[in-house]
């Protein structure tokens, strides 16, 4: 059994780790689709059993990952093809309702730290309708069916002295939406995934995840309403990057004749011992650090449009 | 009886209007102090009876106004002498408590509209302690008595789809502070008062006031805890400015021999008719407009430091 | 001759004033077009002679005004029909060049004061290409003809200690663009025009205009290259609003039988005397104040997209 | 000779590397002072000869480093004791002048990327006086001697299409200041140094340094006036962190009996080979990534006050 902890918010990466280690996980069902024209890969993973949840370290539910290599590239209409796919996925996960659906969009994260500003900036771009609907009714929009969209940017604990969870639960109790959408920046394991992957899940957000780690759980259990979480990885943990490179060093040693003698020594260590060795070498300060691209400002700006557009289409 | 509506959030200006018109109001008690050294004038007004409240158009309670002509001037330590006076006033209004007092500071208004950004910017500068106290206890601060300060910037309805009141009541219900401080930008009647006056009241905030008019009541009645409102006027209603200049025109006519003939005609109108005349002349668009100084960005920046420092001192 | 000073940055409004007063101006040529489908009115005014320039109080040159009643309304693609018309007008005014045209876009105004933030926010949204072209050549864009676009946000004097003109002239001398586009928020005379009119002129920007009045001239004369100025009115001078309402009062007096007696008196005054009367009544503080709509944040956000899109299309 | 490249903007760290490797550098003179009361360590390093410059990879000149372990801690007056020391150092480096000294402060870096926003935010907090002095003379300040301070935030190439150097040289040519102060966020080698060190140098800023690497040289040579550069490290290169941990791994192998066998193998590699090995293992993407603390927003906010206050005191 592998003891290396994989610090990632992406269910996809957790599963990949198992595949790398040739471990089969029961109770997890996966399906992949590829949209030729838009070059988007969609992976649907369903964790069906408690055993699957335990193995994956993530709650039971559906995790949909949308990958597009060019998501981070500049594009005149902010990758509307991705927004459209995203809207379809969201619509599938939304609860069915005859009448107006009331949706609260929560933009988690710290607006003042660039890679953590994704959630707040998505809410900035949302088409907010709840107050207009409340005052003028749905005829204000000249359409038959309009949903009531509200938005909240709770900030982070250093700014408010409160947990996001406390603020949002208060707002949910007071305004009673039918469903909540939580937008957040995620931590990935691989730098390759940064700004190129969207994860959508009906399990909400669970403790210990996210860039700033600023959240307790936001799920149907804690909120009393369905919570759909949408996230994009914008950082990698500093410790993860070092960890991974070490791992690559060890692998290189085993393959490189020049380093053959070394590998024997290192292989004498079991995985647990290797893990401990690396832990010792890592500066404790690394745990409070993250790695992010130098042009993260441009990525977050673009991604916030792609996501808000997807949400606007889904709720229109 | 005077029918001209005075659109002001300052109790002081409401009362001045009565004095101008030589109307005595019963049930309202006023006391003035002047701090020689710091050149600060403090006016305490107590509306004691329901009749007084009706006449003033403001709820029963204490209204303290702090005026300083140089408040808007640049100053190395952001007018610490004003912050100190403000702290004293707030302390007097805070509920007594043996143990740690838990305070929620709400920064009302629209961060994106300069004169309305005062509330949000005060919260930005606050020393937030609730989360540290909760995690490490008061010994984290190396002091005997520390208060638990939390902060919220609810935004405005166009951004959130919710009323500030809804968001704040949710947060209050969830986190149960002992007292709430609501910071807001106000509308004055006179441009002379802009950025030079602070109003502190234990009546909270009441419908129809404020720059953006974005709030329903925030008071002990609606929140279930004492609400101290602190405001600084940063705008004058466009309609008010036109109204006032008209009024001055009429007065000028009565005093100017050259215009004597006119005044006779205008005087033939009673106040009600004058009011109607002015109403007709005012463009309806003016009601959605405000007047503010061109250097309002500097004023709001400076004022937000003076206010947050006063709050930090009061809660230390 | 009329002595009432019309404080407006819009050539269109200056001319309207003459029409109101039934004064004919020579040397000024006007043509109006109406786009049925997009409901856009385009007025081209050419000041041809020095006499015309003197009468208008504006330099010789072309002033094109684009008016659309719905420009300030929310729109899914930020009024692309307006961006397209704007692009056509800009293209006509741009100097002809066989090779790559090098364009410097200057976003004038104060980013921290909402109605004055239009210029900076347009530059934020621009597609900047000069550095890519310089490094990789035009083939980086996979197109035959690409223009080199650079952008500068000079800030205002209170922030930099320098005039915008000084900063921009330095940048022009150093980087030698072929043409400069100056974007600025303007002051209109009528609140009706706010956020609904775009003025494009090949005369650049001339002293005394603009919201913050923060600029000396930016024109071919001072910069040594053609300067196209693009502006949208976002404020009305506080003094103008009062002035106008007074004017309306006087007119009302003449038409209203009830007030007939008054009008006789006022009419006894000539225009010069009326002007002096109003000047006296206006608080001197009003000159440092402006009037702007309460939802100016939304307008500026939307307008900055409409304008930047127009520029991006023109330079593509 | 050591081939591991130390990527750091701090002269102090470059020298430490030599000490670690027991290499003596000639032509570099160092002096250390310690302020007991304020717990500030000041290291003055003078690179005196071309040989010293070559060895250090930095131009001849004076490099002063101010270190304070608590610089990154919250403090009521933003560490005024550090601002005072900083002011003393700056004053020593400023050119002597009988009359008013004219100073241009340039805030380098990208305002939109948190750890790179230090320069822009310092300029935001500066007391700007040039325009007041120009309009009203020095008597406006009621003091005998006042310096003329101006400020510029040039932005980064992706925003402007121009190099900071081009913009600043244009402004210098146009406004002719006596001296320039360039503020920038730096890259350190050690996470321990982040937000706890200020480097002041009279050599200006030289190619290849800084967070975003967004600058060509800003020095007396390129600008024609003395350039004092002030920087604080806010990031570590992602590659550096991995590099360093590898280095620690190798050291650990040599010291740990358990891993003794390994060390023999690795030691068989010379430094050059180790460097190549690590290079191969590092993902190429790491070169476009940086490592920064999760609470960098608070650090940059606080540091920008400490620095601007130091500058304000120095120029008062």
């Amino acid at each position: 059994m592998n003891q290396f902890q994989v610090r990632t918010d992406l269910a996809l990466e957790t599963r990949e780790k198992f595949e790398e280690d040739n471990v089969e996980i029961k109770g997890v069902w996966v399906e992949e689709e590829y949209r030729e024209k838009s070059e988007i890969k969609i992976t649907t993973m369903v964790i069906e059993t408690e055993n699957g949840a335990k193995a994956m370290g993530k709650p039971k539910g559906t995790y949909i990952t949308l990958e597009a290599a060019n998501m981070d590239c500049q594009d005149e209409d902010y990758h509307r093809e991705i927004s459209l796919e995203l809207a379809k996925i969201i619509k599938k996960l939304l609860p069915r309702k005859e009448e107006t659906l009331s949706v609260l969009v929560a933009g988690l994260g710290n607006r003042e730290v660039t890679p953590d500003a994704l959630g707040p900036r998505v809410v900035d771009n949302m088409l907010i309708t709840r107050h207009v609907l409340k005052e003028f009714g749905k005829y204000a929009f000249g359409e038959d069916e309009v949903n009531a969209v509200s938005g909240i940017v709770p900030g982070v604990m250093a700014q408010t002295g409160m947990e996001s969870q406390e603020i949002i639960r208060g707002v949910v109790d007071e305004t009673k939406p039918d469903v909540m959408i939580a937008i957040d920046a995620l931590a990935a394991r691989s730098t390759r995934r940064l700004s190129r992957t969207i994860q959508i899940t009906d399990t909400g957000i669970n403790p210990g995840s996210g860039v700033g780690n600023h959240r307790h759980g936001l799920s149907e259990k804690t909120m009393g309403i369905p919570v759909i979480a949408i996230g994009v990885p914008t950082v990698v943990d500093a410790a993860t990057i070092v960890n991974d490179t070490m791992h690559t060093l060890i692998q290189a040693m085993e393959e490189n004749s020049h380093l053959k003698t070394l590998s024997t020594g290192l292989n004498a260590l079991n995985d647990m011992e290797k893990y401990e060795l690396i832990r010792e070498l890592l500066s404790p300060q690394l745990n409070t650090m993250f790695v992010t691209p130098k042009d993260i400002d441009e990525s977050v700006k673009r991604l916030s449009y792609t996501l808000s557009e997807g949400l606007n289409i889904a709720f229109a």
Side-chain angles (χ1 to χ4, degrees), chain A:
Chain A
M1 198 196 134
N2 193 306
Q3 294 294 323
F4 281 95
Q5 205 168 1
V6 181
R7 167 78 171 87
T8 175
D9 295 325
L10 295 174
L12 200 71
E13 289 189 333
T14 308
R15 193 175 146 269
E16 277 173 356
K17 188 73 186 74
F18 283 104
E19 283 181 352
E20 278 169 30
D21 301 336
N22 288 312
V23 176
E24 205 196 335
I25 342 159
K26 285 178 182 167
V28 179
W29 168 91
V30 179
E31 191 184 70
E32 294 182 358
E33 292 165 88
Y34 187 72
R35 306 275 182 266
E36 290 282 342
K37 212 180 138 197
S38 51
E39 301 179 64
I40 296 172
K41 186 180 165 189
I42 296 175
T43 309
T44 304
M45 185 184 314
V46 181
I47 304 184
E48 290 180 312
T49 65
E50 280 304 332
N51 273 344
K54 214 170 164 184
M56 290 286 290
K58 297 190 183 296
K60 280 201 293 180
T62 303
Y63 298 82
I64 301 170
T65 316
L66 195 158
E67 292 170 278
N70 71 351
M71 196 187 288
D72 193 30
C73 302
Q74 196 171 306
D75 181 73
E76 202 184 285
D77 60 358
Y78 298 106
H79 294 289
R80 196 173 169 83
E81 76 283 4
I82 298 177
S83 304
L84 286 166
E85 285 295 340
L86 177 60
K88 268 193 238 167
I89 296 170
I90 296 168
K91 271 178 159 169
K92 249 186 270 174
L93 297 179
L94 283 179
R96 311 263 162 262
K97 212 186 160 192
E98 290 286 305
E99 297 282 304
T100 296
L101 189 75
S102 169
V103 185
L104 173 65
V105 182
L108 303 175
N110 186 346
R111 190 189 279 285
E112 303 298 321
V113 175
T114 317
D116 203 20
L118 181 70
R121 298 190 69 161
V122 169
V123 172
D124 289 351
N125 300 335
M126 289 294 305
L127 191 58
I128 298 295
T129 55
R130 180 179 177 266
H131 59 305
V132 185
L133 227 83
K134 252 189 125 173
E135 193 168 351
F136 303 104
K138 60 186 179 183
Y139 303 106
F141 296 90
E143 283 167 49
D144 274 354
E145 203 191 330
V146 190
N147 295 311
V149 181
S150 54
I152 183 99
V153 174
V156 296
M157 215 153 67
Q159 293 160 353
T160 64
M162 300 178 280
E163 283 168 26
S164 309
Q165 201 200 26
E166 294 180 288
I167 296 172
I168 295 171
R169 195 163 51 203
V171 171
V172 166
D173 286 355
E174 187 70 28
T175 64
K176 307 207 183 310
D178 298 316
V179 60
M180 181 181 140
I181 313 282
I183 316 290
D184 201 8
L186 305 178
R189 186 191 168 194
S190 157
T191 56
R192 241 178 356 99
R193 283 253 161 62
L194 298 185
S195 312
R196 292 204 187 91
T197 305
I198 305 174
Q199 174 174 280
I200 307 105
T201 171
D202 60 4
T203 59
I205 283 170
N206 294 282
S209 54
V211 175
N213 222 334
H214 36 68
R215 304 143 313 146
H216 274 58
L218 291 175
S219 61
E220 181 150 12
K221 213 168 159 182
T222 58
M223 291 292 136
I225 53 170
V227 179
I228 299 171
I230 302 178
V232 176
T234 58
V235 305
V236 172
D237 262 22
T240 302
I241 276 203
V242 176
N243 199 345
D244 276 12
T245 323
M246 297 282 214
H247 195 73
T248 318
L249 172 64
I250 293 166
Q251 283 189 314
M253 285 171 170
E254 297 173 354
E255 288 155 19
N256 187 327
S257 68
H258 198 59
L259 297 166
K260 205 86 195 198
T261 36
L262 273 84
S263 69
T264 330
L266 261 185
N267 278 337
L269 306 177
N270 61 25
D271 274 350
M272 194 62 183
E273 286 166 321
K274 278 182 204 161
Y275 177 61
E276 279 309 309
L277 171 63
I278 287 169
R279 252 182 95 98
E280 270 169 38
L281 297 175
L282 289 180
S283 153
Q285 278 157 310
L286 277 190
N287 291 321
T288 61
M289 306 246 160
F290 61 76
V291 179
T292 201
K294 287 176 180 174
D295 62 351
I296 186 67
D297 58 324
E298 297 292 322
S299 299
V300 166
K301 192 176 170 184
R302 286 196 289 255
L303 285 166
S304 69
Y305 287 114
T306 306
L307 261 61
S308 60
E309 198 52 24
L311 290 163
N312 285 338
I313 297 169
F315 304 145

